Amino acid sequence: MSNISINLYHLYPDAMNLYGDYGNVLALVKRCEWRGFDVVVTHVKQGDSVDFNAADIILMGGGQDRSQQVIAHDLKQRECALKEAIEQGVCALTVCGAYQLFGHYFRTKEGLELPGIGVFDVHTEGSDDRMIGNTLIDCYSFMTPVDRALLFRGSKLRKLELVGFENHSGKTYLQEDVTPFGKVIKGYGNDGASQHEGCRYKNAFGTYLHGPLLPKNPWFADYLIVLALRRKYGENIEVIELDNSMEAAAFYGAKKRALTAKTTHI
Amino acid sequence: MKFLAVIAGKIIILLSRLFKAGGGSALPGLVALRIDPRLIAKITSKLKHGTIVITGTNGKTTTAKYAAEILRESGYKVVHNRTGSNLVRGIASALIEQSTIFGRTRGDIGLFEVDEATMPNAIPQLKPKIVLVTNLFRDQLDRYGELDTTARMIGSSIAPLQGAMVLLNADDPLVAWLARDVNERSRVAFFGLDEARYISTSRASMDSKDCIICGSELQFDRRFYGHLGLYSCPNCDFKRPPLDFEAHNIYLHGVKNSSVTLRGSDKSLDVALGLSGTYNVYNSLAAYALVSTLDVDERNISMALTNSDAAFGRMERFVVNGKETYLLLIKNPIGLTQIAETLSTDSEARNFMLVLNDNFADGTDISWIWDADISALPRHSNFIYTTGIRAGDMALRFKYEGFETGKIVLVETIDDAFEQALSRTGDGETLYVLATYTGMLHIRNYLTRKGFVEGFWKEVA
């Protein structure tokens, strides 16, 4: 197995790391290492020249408003390269601010427009509502039969629940044919009204869930790893199961918190 | 109205002590402010020497404690929100507690630590003569929004002050930048470190690393911890301002104590500190700067800084069943990182327990634990218990940092976890309990119930 290798590209680790996003990198690295895969993490900073064709998984998190403006400009220079990589099936997980910048634009309340790179056919509008709290979503209904077969392997489960914490005032609107990431069970999601959370295009995911997402949703972390490996090594690649008991404890702790919270929909 | 509000507050304080329902540090103020919203201004306007306000992310409570002891030794009658209850209700509770039933204050100077987000609400009522900002780190983002927002909130609250002294941490770019908000009728003074040792290398908690004016990445000639350091912008003229108060000759002796030379404009003072860690050097320097404009004796400064133990729950030592226990408050990435680094200097430290709660007072978003650098904590530990509402998240933090999973023990109930951890702590060894705010209160209540410690309201009274 040691000849299996994964290249992680972490975009703007300094500027876009507001909500423990480093935890997502760590989760992928460790879950690959525990299986004996080689992992190389490339930190992409402003102005660095990089070849996204070599990437297997791209990660990018959220930042403060000030960082986000600087980063938006740098990201714009990489628009073509990133779009091409996503078209080729490279995996990407973009959280919060990164999700917004992977859409067409973010327009603040004051009318200032921050251009995105349009990987996702979505746009975001600033609002006066702060959407904060523990969140529970179900990704099952938006998965393809292939995904379901991959994730559930004959089990009778009809849910793929993910837990996280959202904190945003931007409302993200999906064009009609865009696939959401999940259905909101508890929380606000994209806009506080549609009951949809995040979006997906090919193997790229956008979501407001931080927490961080991957350590306590190891099933989804493994799904990203499997997607990346299948693209690189073929459809028949299998990964061994890991002991997820500690992850499950964290998941259920967060789920309980989300379900008992008194969040009101705006 | 004032009379009624004070009476109501006093009755609640009495009741909560009678039924041991806690220290009564928030509810009395909450109720009293409902009855008389102007209560704080009414009482503090009678303080002969006015009020002092301390705000910022870390070090408020310890700095206030240092300053309070120095002032008290120098003969001031200090009114102070000592239990770290730093929202408006906590300030009101402290005022009620330290007033007669007619609402006449027993003090002559007010010393208040004020939560950053509470500043816009508290400043117009407190009308402080001195304001000190310790630092701005990421803290409880769910409650405050982002760091820039917090800075703006503090800036706009101090802007209208006239004839005030504003003391700013020069080593924190965002805090130093607040100088622009200070009215020309007020004064600004900067404090910071002048030290070439104890340079931090951890990349964790570099929260303000870009120039506030032009957005370029700041150059740090040295960093003391987190983003505090000697910085300059390569692109414009923003840089660390010259220091009015400085700490140098710093020596840290493990986790137990340290020494430092504090310097003001025309004087300097060598002190042995009863606490250790770079953050406590900052706290002592901040207290030194605070009292420098008041009438105090240098001997009182030295004595207070040497003899002060840590503020409530910040780093308290207990002896439970003959075993030494330290209770350490954790509330944000930089604090946890600093505690991990300080503990790493003690090769005997090997028994750990972490309490992670996500109640409002802890901050409901616990993702910050992933921004902390815990890699310095000793790998040769005997065990790491994780407990509290989000025990699972804390266990994962250690698992994914590469700590042996066999040593990580997840126990949901805090009492059970503490009892197990203590029983596994060997004779002559120390148990280190790192806890978020409500977790810390829980442990303290547990110890009080078991008779190992007196209720904190007794210490306060």
Side-chain angles (χ1 to χ4, degrees):
Chain A
M1 294 287 264
S2 61
N3 52 353
I4 291 184
S5 71
I6 289 241
N7 291 319
L8 291 182
Y9 278 48
H10 187 195
L11 301 192
Y12 314 111
D14 286 337
M16 303 292 275
N17 64 350
L18 193 51
Y19 301 113
D21 291 305
Y22 170 64
N24 285 333
V25 180
L26 211 51
L28 291 177
V29 168
K30 291 293 173 185
R31 297 185 75 80
C32 286
E33 284 178 0
W34 291 331
R35 293 177 165 111
F37 309 156
D38 294 326
V39 196
V40 180
V41 181
T42 306
H43 299 291
V44 182
K45 295 181 180 173
Q46 281 167 260
D48 289 356
S49 95
V50 283
D51 173 15
F52 287 109
N53 285 319
D56 297 311
I57 304 178
I58 296 167
L59 291 161
M60 182 171 157
Q64 296 193 32
D65 293 347
R66 185 154 49 90
S67 321
Q68 207 140 312
Q69 288 177 22
V70 180
I71 292 308
H73 179 75
D74 191 86
L75 192 67
K76 199 71 185 162
Q77 318 300 311
R78 309 177 190 277
E79 179 173 339
C80 291
L82 276 166
K83 274 183 167 162
E84 193 191 317
I86 301 299
E87 288 298 333
Q88 301 296 319
V90 170
C91 289
L93 177 64
T94 61
V95 181
C96 204
Y99 168 36
Q100 294 170 343
L101 291 180
F102 267 55
H104 292 297
Y105 61 85
F106 178 105
R107 187 158 44 217
T108 65
K109 280 181 302 190
E110 295 77 29
L112 182 78
E113 202 170 290
L114 208 58
I117 58 171
V119 166
F120 302 130
D121 199 3
V122 309
H123 68 273
T124 306
E125 304 278 350
S127 80
D128 287 321
D129 307 312
R130 196 86 202 164
M131 291 166 274
I132 303 180
N134 287 290
T135 310
L136 181 69
I137 65 169
D138 181 11
C139 297
Y140 187 85
S141 44
F142 299 116
M143 306 201 95
T144 63
V146 177
D147 290 328
R148 287 175 188 168
L150 203 64
L151 267 156
F152 296 100
R153 311 221 179 112
S155 101
K156 291 206 162 49
L157 277 175
R158 287 294 174 267
K159 273 186 177 174
L160 176 66
E161 289 180 343
L162 303 183
V163 285
F165 196 97
E166 61 184 314
N167 182 354
H168 55 106
S169 54
K171 296 184 174 180
T172 300
Y173 299 98
L174 278 51
Q175 291 300 308
E176 232 167 74
D177 53 346
V178 177
T179 314
F181 179 42
K183 203 174 75 185
V184 176
I185 301 172
K186 193 80 189 205
Y188 299 98
N190 283 330
D191 54 11
S194 65
Q195 297 289 308
H196 287 161
E197 206 295 309
C199 78
R200 175 180 188 171
Y201 177 70
K202 298 209 167 188
N203 290 334
F205 299 84
T207 178
Y208 277 113
L209 298 194
H210 64 266
L213 180 68
L214 297 182
K216 56 179 166 277
N217 297 287
W219 312 279
F220 184 65
D222 284 355
Y223 175 59
L224 282 180
I225 293 170
V226 170
L227 280 179
L229 291 178
R230 284 163 70 99
R231 178 179 160 268
K232 197 169 185 177
Y233 297 102
E235 298 295 303
N236 297 323
I237 198 102
E238 285 285 338
V239 300
I240 53 161
E241 292 291 328
L242 299 170
D243 175 5
N244 285 331
S245 51
M246 225 172 251
E247 285 81 353
F251 171 87
Y252 285 111
K255 179 178 174 178
K256 193 170 154 195
R257 224 41 188 151
L259 289 177
T260 53
K262 286 181 228 138
T263 41
T264 45
H265 271 277
I266 46 174
Chain B
M1 283 293 255
K2 181 174 101 178
F3 177 65
L4 206 62
V6 171
I7 288 285
K10 285 209 172 274
I11 290 171
I12 296 166
I13 292 173
L14 198 69
L15 287 177
S16 62
R17 283 182 195 168
L18 220 52
F19 295 102
K20 300 208 175 217
S25 58
L27 190 64
L30 194 64
V31 172
L33 286 172
R34 279 278 167 77
I35 300 171
D36 185 354
R38 297 280 307 153
L39 185 69
I40 291 176
K42 283 179 187 170
I43 300 181
T44 53
S45 63
K46 298 286 191 296
L47 292 163
K48 193 171 129 201
H49 300 290
T51 63
I52 299 170
V53 161
I54 300 169
T55 193
T57 315
N58 291 328
K60 290 188 290 286
T61 306
T62 305
T63 302
K65 186 173 174 168
Y66 279 149
E69 283 179 29
I70 297 165
L71 292 175
R72 221 169 272 131
E73 286 298 319
S74 307
Y76 287 91
K77 296 195 202 77
V78 187
V79 181
H80 172 202
N81 53 338
R82 268 168 288 195
T83 55
S85 184
N86 53 28
L87 305 178
V88 174
R89 60 188 81 151
I91 296 167
S93 294
L95 284 167
I96 292 165
E97 196 197 353
Q98 294 160 74
S99 295
T100 66
I101 52 166
F102 302 107
R104 185 187 292 273
T105 175
R106 295 197 185 99
D108 57 13
I109 191 165
L111 177 64
F112 301 102
E113 60 163 285
V114 177
D115 180 277
E116 303 91 284
T118 303
M119 287 289 281
N121 199 351
I123 291 293
Q125 298 205 55
L126 292 171
K127 294 203 174 60
K129 290 232 170 86
I130 306 172
V131 178
L132 183 136
V133 187
T134 57
N135 49 53
L136 286 172
F137 284 102
R138 275 185 204 174
D139 186 24
Q140 307 177 351
L141 288 154
D142 55 325
R143 211 203 294 170
Y144 303 150
E146 295 164 359
L147 214 50
D148 299 3
T149 319
T150 309
R152 270 198 297 276
M153 244 180 322
I154 296 174
S156 62
S157 69
I158 58 176
L161 288 176
Q162 304 216 344
M165 171 68 135
V166 179
L167 294 160
L168 301 173
N169 186 339
D171 297 347
D172 187 324
L174 205 52
V175 173
W177 179 240
L178 288 174
R180 82 194 189 283
D181 287 321
V182 178
N183 191 297
E184 69 277 2
R185 291 194 200 160
S186 292
R187 279 182 300 154
V188 175
F190 291 103
F191 62 93
L193 302 196
D194 176 21
E195 180 58 72
R197 274 166 298 130
Y198 305 112
I199 303 306
S200 176
T201 50
S202 172
R203 290 292 298 169
S205 302
M206 284 293 287
D207 294 342
S208 297
K209 51 190 168 295
D210 296 333
C211 176
I212 296 137
I213 298 169
C214 70
S216 316
E217 191 170 334
L218 291 173
Q219 268 169 11
F220 280 84
D221 288 347
R222 56 181 79 138
R223 280 193 301 119
F224 304 120
Y225 82 91
H227 61 251
L228 305 189
L230 190 56
Y231 54 86
S232 60
C233 177
N235 196 34
C236 68
D237 58 2
F238 184 60
K239 58 173 191 249
R240 185 181 79 164
L243 304 175
D244 301 293
F245 299 95
E246 58 190 34
H248 70 135
N249 280 339
I250 302 167
Y251 288 94
L252 305 179
H253 306 296
V255 291
K256 303 287 178 193
N257 56 66
S258 53
S259 65
V260 64
T261 301
L262 302 172
R263 264 201 309 234
S265 51
D266 53 352
K267 54 197 172 197
S268 89
L269 182 66
D270 297 321
V271 277
L273 294 176
L275 298 169
S276 189
T278 308
Y279 53 103
N280 280 317
V281 172
Y282 271 105
N283 294 336
S284 61
L285 175 65
Y288 178 72
L290 261 187
V291 299
S292 68
T293 55
L294 297 160
D295 183 22
V296 298
D297 193 307
E298 275 197 352
R299 272 171 308 180
N300 293 332
I301 301 178
S302 302
M303 219 152 57
L305 295 180
T306 306
N307 297 332
S308 280
D309 42 13
F312 176 70
R314 262 56 183 182
M315 192 178 192
E316 283 186 295
R317 181 180 171 274
F318 304 98
V319 178
V320 188
N321 293 342
K323 291 169 187 172
E324 188 178 49
T325 303
Y326 273 95
L327 185 54
L328 304 144
L329 180 73
I330 51 169
K331 52 176 195 162
N332 52 33
I334 186 64
L336 181 52
T337 305
Q338 270 277 296
I339 286 174
E341 283 179 358
T342 308
L343 282 170
S344 75
T345 64
D346 184 354
S347 59
E348 301 290 309
R350 50 180 66 213
N351 305 310
F352 304 106
M353 173 171 144
L354 285 105
V355 192
L356 181 61
N357 276 353
D358 65 350
N359 295 313
F360 182 73
D362 304 292
T364 54
D365 183 357
I366 50 96
S367 59
W368 63 268
I369 62 173
W370 295 84
D371 293 322
D373 187 348
I374 56 166
S375 60
L377 272 181
R379 302 285 157 150
H380 60 265
S381 61
N382 293 332
F383 55 76
I384 300 163
Y385 273 83
T386 72
T387 184
I389 300 165
R390 303 300 289 268
D393 286 89
M394 194 44 115
L396 283 190
R397 181 68 189 91
F398 281 95
K399 178 177 177 178
Y400 282 88
E401 193 64 36
F403 284 79
E404 249 177 82
T405 49
K407 287 184 177 173
I408 306 169
V409 192
L410 198 159
V411 179
E412 268 184 44
T413 320
I414 299 175
D415 293 1
D416 292 349
F418 184 71
E419 280 163 21
Q420 287 181 33
L422 197 67
S423 74
R424 285 181 59 186
T425 300
D427 289 330
E429 290 184 359
T430 305
L431 172 64
Y432 293 92
V433 181
L434 284 59
T436 57
Y437 190 72
T438 66
M440 184 268 288
L441 289 184
H442 186 109
I443 296 276
R444 252 182 152 278
N445 283 339
Y446 170 88
L447 292 173
T448 308
R449 227 167 40 239
K450 296 276 174 178
F452 292 112
V453 59
E454 293 202 336
F456 61 82
W457 49 93
K458 286 189 185 152
E459 291 170 22
V460 167

